Amino acid sequence: METKLARIADLSAQNLKMVFTSIEHLIDVKFLRDCHMMMDGDKAVGIDGITKEDYGRNLDANLVDLVERLKRKSYKPKPARRVEIPKDNGKTRPLSIYCYEDKLVQEALRRILEAVFEPMFYDEMMGFRPNRSCHMALRKLNTMIESNYTNYVLDADIKGFFDHLDHKWIVKFIESRIKDPNIIRLVTRMLKAGIMKDFQYSDTEEGSGQGSVCSPTH
């Protein structure tokens, strides 16, 4: 599977205008099993209470069933469990905790989206990219400041950015390189899955849950 993803990444890098129309078939039992093996088993559980260990007890049957539901287009992610995480400034940050099976699908999507879009990013773009870290970003910034004339450094943040992402624009950006309707359907269902907070369900008409494997924070 890594060879297939590497091939997609190579094609994407060679032609930045290339559009991928059929890649959902990559999400098969073997691919999902690999995703399962790489998942962190110590993460908090979603609303169904199922852990990685629970899911893995009958892994093959669970994955076969999941792939069949994906093929029938009957797979529907469960709402995320919303918790508030304290911040240093006294405020809180909303964190979405997803059910384990949904995390598997998110991880599969993340790998595919990363293969397609990663070659498009500039080298200076450091945030939440593979094989990059905050320390690397600081070293890059230090080199840029010391090697060039610098009048100012701008530190900016967008208030509530992830809470107000427009779902239509997320889909438009993805469709700029991926026209596979099955991938678009999965992304849309993830975005619209809703949240559960204090035993109350709420629709998610905008935003992307922080804590999702394939959210913009990863």
Side-chain angles (χ1 to χ4, degrees):
M1 180 53 65
E2 292 301 323
T3 302
K4 293 180 180 179
L5 292 177
R7 176 57 177 162
I8 290 175
D10 288 340
L11 290 171
S12 180
Q14 293 167 14
N15 185 356
L16 296 181
K17 294 185 178 180
M18 184 175 185
V19 175
F20 296 85
T21 58
S22 180
I23 52 178
E24 189 266 348
H25 65 276
L26 296 175
I27 307 179
D28 57 14
V29 171
K30 183 178 180 181
F31 189 22
L32 289 168
R33 184 183 294 110
D34 184 57
C35 291
H36 170 77
M37 298 303 295
M38 299 300 294
M39 296 292 284
D40 186 347
D42 295 327
K43 295 291 186 180
V45 298
I47 61 173
D48 60 0
I50 294 176
T51 66
K52 175 181 179 178
E53 182 180 0
D54 295 333
Y55 197 85
R57 291 195 183 101
N58 199 18
L59 182 61
D60 288 342
N62 286 333
L63 294 181
V64 168
D65 177 67
L66 174 56
V67 170
E68 285 300 315
R69 281 181 283 134
L70 289 169
K71 289 180 178 179
R72 297 197 308 267
K73 304 177 179 56
S74 62
Y75 164 77
K76 186 177 180 180
K78 296 179 177 64
R81 180 164 64 90
R82 176 65 59 86
V83 297
E84 299 291 335
I85 305 298
K87 298 170 65 174
D88 293 338
N89 60 7
K91 298 182 179 180
T92 60
R93 176 174 66 91
L95 184 69
S96 296
I97 301 174
Y98 293 84
C99 294
Y100 184 77
E101 185 174 76
D102 297 330
K103 291 179 183 178
L104 281 182
V105 178
Q106 290 174 5
E107 173 64 11
L109 281 172
R110 183 195 66 79
R111 294 187 184 192
I112 292 173
L113 294 174
E114 187 175 279
V116 173
F117 287 99
E118 173 65 21
M120 300 180 64
F121 294 128
Y122 294 124
D123 185 57
E124 294 79 9
M125 296 178 175
M126 305 294 290
F128 305 103
R129 294 177 63 190
N131 303 315
R132 294 171 187 256
S133 67
C134 294
H135 293 293
M136 293 173 65
L138 289 172
R139 287 196 295 270
K140 171 73 74 173
L141 178 62
N142 186 63
T143 300
M144 294 173 67
I145 291 174
E146 292 184 347
S147 303
N148 301 279
Y149 292 109
T150 304
N151 293 320
Y152 60 87
V153 176
L154 177 63
D155 180 14
D157 189 19
I158 301 176
K159 183 178 180 180
F161 174 75
F162 296 105
D163 295 331
H164 301 293
L165 285 167
D166 189 306
H167 292 175
K168 290 182 179 179
W169 276 106
I170 291 176
V171 170
K172 283 185 178 181
F173 281 124
I174 294 175
E175 286 181 330
S176 67
R177 300 298 307 276
I178 299 176
K179 292 289 188 181
D180 187 330
N182 296 308
I183 293 292
I184 301 302
R185 182 184 300 105
L186 277 180
V187 171
T188 301
R189 287 186 176 181
M190 286 293 179
L191 292 170
K192 301 292 187 184
I195 60 172
M196 292 290 292
K197 183 178 180 181
D198 298 329
F199 304 101
Q200 296 292 321
Y201 171 82
S202 298
D203 290 327
T204 45
E205 296 300 329
E206 63 176 358
S208 173
Q210 297 186 61
S212 166
V213 176
C214 60
S215 76
T217 56
H218 285 75

